[in-house]
Amino acid sequence: MDVIPDYTHSVVEELKALAEAGKLTPDRAQLDVAAKLDRVLGDLRDARPAKKKSALGWLFAKGSGRPKPIRGLYIHGSVGRGKTMLMEMFFKQAATDRKRRAHFHEFMADVHGRVHEHRMKVKNGEVRDPDPIPPVAASIYAEAELLCFDEFSVTDITDAMILARLFTELFALGCVLVATSNVAPENLYKDGLNRGLFLPFIDLLRRHVEVTTLDSDTDYRMQKLANLPVYVTPLGPQADATMEATWHQVTDGAKTAPSEVPRKGRSIPVPAAAGRTARFSFADLCERPLGAADYLAIAERYDSVFLERVPQLGAEKRNETKRFINLVDTLYDNAIRLYVSAAAQPEDLLAERRGTEGFEFDRTVSRLFEMRSADYAALHRQRHRNRSVPPL
Ligand SMILES: Nc1ncnc2c1ncn2[C@@H]1O[C@H](COP(=O)(O)OP(=O)(O)OP(=O)(O)O)[C@@H](O)[C@H]1O
């Protein structure tokens, strides 16, 4: 998304400017959260001069001379409400170079890496104190005083057990935490093993961050997706460009990379995947010897599938046609969102209707039509609501 103006120092102002330019729907709930983010921006800005050594600094320094701790912000709410978007605006405007933004799981993986490093040092006799938490916190703080986390969620017991101690140290050092999440703090690590040991972290969080909900009525992601083309025809550069643009909309900036779906003894290559969305050509899935079980494995791993360049299905493409029928059946049965580019409308794809294949293809045609409908989109949403976690 292009952003205007470049550097406003206010999330509220940026939201308003984008709404005025017609790029965003004005949203009261988002503005309320933006105002809270602006409060953190202001606190960060105000804290800066205090850190500079000025001749009169001692006059303003209170107590130990440590800067007053800045209360961060924890934004929770349902999917697609704009939490990530607000965080992006906030992060860009935060007046410090020592800032770090990461997916929470990435951050924790980094923490475990640092803990491991410390343990190796203890083993090699390089450091004495076996407790890894203070040095790990110090090394994180040395790089960033502002920590911004997307999708704060705790599911892993090793994360759960480390968090209270780690953040006690980080907050004591002066770290400011801003996070988005789908769950309220009191529901973090809900039903997790040894949850009692995790509860001090929730108290700690409440003391150091303001907690707010982003409860706009609109799921903007769904709204965007509902307006996307799901069946593009005829084939050609225009169709390719539409599919490309749709891919970017659906994956919403997530990193795209080749992947594979493991199968017994071999794996199905996925030319491009981002989160729970996979992109194939007709040749990838229907011109190779794949069967229903392979398609099922794909449907289990991904929520949305792009299938590009479905050709006219002539008599010479009997096997390919059978696979295509199989593929559409499997994706349909699993309520997978399907984005297709094809040589023709579904009913004109099969050149000749003959025997059982023709009969079966009627079902494919009907399903392809149904898969474009708002009802199917709603079913997809309902079935995949809890599967937003990217595959391992
Ligand atoms: N006011 C708005 N008008 C139009 N589009 C919006 C608005 N707010 C957010 N969007 C768009 O909606 C999509 C979803 O927003 P975003 O990813 O920030 O939601 P989220 O709350 O972080 O969702 P999740 O919890 O699933 O991560 C984005 O593409 C974003 O640009």
Side-chain angles (χ1 to χ4, degrees):
M1 179 198 314
D2 38 350
V3 169
I4 23 164
D6 221 17
Y7 210 71
T8 57
H9 283 302
S10 160
V11 181
V12 168
E13 292 308 319
E14 184 167 350
L15 270 185
K16 283 185 178 164
L18 287 167
E20 258 163 47
K23 303 202 174 210
L24 287 180
T25 312
D27 186 312
R28 187 70 246 166
Q30 287 184 346
L31 281 172
D32 288 347
V33 172
K36 295 183 180 194
L37 287 166
D38 280 354
R39 192 270 302 156
V40 184
L41 283 181
D43 287 352
L44 282 168
R45 226 173 11 245
D46 295 346
R48 257 170 121 208
K51 283 187 187 160
K52 285 196 189 135
K53 287 219 161 61
S54 92
L56 295 176
W58 60 274
L59 261 180
F60 305 104
K62 283 184 192 149
S64 64
R66 277 181 177 237
K68 206 170 135 249
I70 296 173
R71 232 172 136 74
L73 190 68
Y74 182 103
I75 309 163
H76 65 96
S78 312
V79 298
R81 263 49 182 189
K83 297 183 293 298
T84 307
M85 177 186 79
L86 292 173
M87 172 78 105
E88 205 169 300
M89 294 174 180
F90 165 81
F91 185 76
K92 194 185 61 204
Q93 293 173 20
T96 171
D97 293 331
R98 290 177 50 233
K99 53 185 174 180
R100 172 172 177 188
R101 182 175 172 210
H103 193 280
F104 184 63
H105 293 307
E106 262 166 42
F107 173 76
M108 285 314 289
D110 175 46
V111 168
H112 291 303
R114 289 176 199 238
V115 166
H116 177 74
E117 245 171 60
H118 179 83
R119 293 204 168 121
M120 295 311 283
K121 283 186 186 160
V122 173
K123 214 170 143 193
N124 300 336
E126 285 172 56
V127 286
R128 279 224 186 146
D129 190 347
D131 184 359
I133 300 299
V136 165
S139 71
I140 291 169
Y141 180 69
E143 292 162 22
E145 58 178 344
L146 172 64
L147 293 174
C148 293
F149 297 133
D150 292 304
E151 294 180 41
F152 201 108
S153 80
V154 184
T155 46
D156 184 300
I157 184 159
T158 44
D159 290 352
M161 296 303 113
I162 220 176
L163 276 171
R165 282 211 59 221
L166 178 68
F167 275 89
T168 301
E169 295 283 339
L170 285 172
F171 288 139
L173 289 166
C175 257
V176 181
L177 171 67
V178 175
T180 71
S181 178
N182 291 130
V183 290
E186 60 271 23
N187 290 330
L188 283 170
Y189 196 53
K190 205 176 178 195
D191 306 322
L193 217 58
N194 280 342
R195 185 155 190 271
L197 298 177
F198 176 73
L199 297 178
F201 175 71
I202 298 179
D203 291 338
L204 184 74
L205 202 58
R206 289 195 165 284
R207 267 181 276 130
H208 287 88
V209 301
E210 181 185 355
V211 177
T212 187
T213 44
L214 177 55
D215 52 5
S216 8
D217 297 328
T218 316
D219 178 343
Y220 291 104
R221 183 173 303 114
M222 270 313 146
Q223 197 180 61
K224 265 191 180 174
L225 293 183
N227 296 326
L228 290 176
V230 291
Y231 196 99
V232 179
T233 187
L235 293 178
Q238 176 99 48
D240 289 346
T242 305
M243 293 298 274
E244 181 69 19
T246 306
W247 172 264
H248 285 289
Q249 295 265 10
V250 172
T251 56
D252 208 10
K255 203 171 133 246
T256 297
S259 186
E260 54 184 28
V261 176
R263 300 277 304 129
K264 266 189 233 115
R266 68 201 156 87
S267 59
I268 308 163
V270 183
R276 297 199 69 93
T277 307
R279 189 169 180 176
F280 300 94
S281 68
F282 178 84
D284 296 326
L285 289 185
C286 301
E287 290 177 9
R288 299 179 58 237
L290 299 179
D294 297 308
Y295 300 142
L296 185 60
I298 291 171
E300 280 168 355
R301 177 112 177 203
Y302 298 104
D303 295 345
S304 301
V305 168
F306 279 62
L307 182 67
E308 292 184 71
R309 303 189 179 183
V310 178
Q312 197 79 56
L313 299 168
E316 78 291 355
K317 289 199 187 308
R318 226 175 134 222
N319 287 330
E320 290 83 344
T321 305
K322 277 188 185 159
R323 290 192 200 107
F324 181 64
I325 291 172
N326 240 325
L327 173 67
V328 173
D329 277 348
T330 310
L331 299 180
Y332 173 88
D333 288 342
N334 290 280
I336 302 298
R337 198 86 174 114
L338 178 63
Y339 299 88
V340 182
S341 68
Q345 288 292 349
E347 68 274 27
D348 299 324
L349 271 179
L350 192 65
E352 291 170 55
R353 303 277 170 99
R354 273 181 314 183
T356 38
E357 229 153 78
F359 179 63
E360 278 192 65
F361 203 80
D362 285 342
R363 189 182 65 235
T364 306
V365 170
S366 136
R367 289 184 163 186
L368 282 171
F369 271 112
E370 188 185 337
M371 287 166 99
R372 298 181 190 183
S373 69
D375 281 353
Y376 184 82
L379 176 76
H380 163 81
R381 204 151 59 230
Q382 197 190 4
R383 291 267 295 271
H384 299 276
R385 185 170 293 157
N386 299 319
R387 290 181 59 192
S388 62
V389 182
L392 292 170

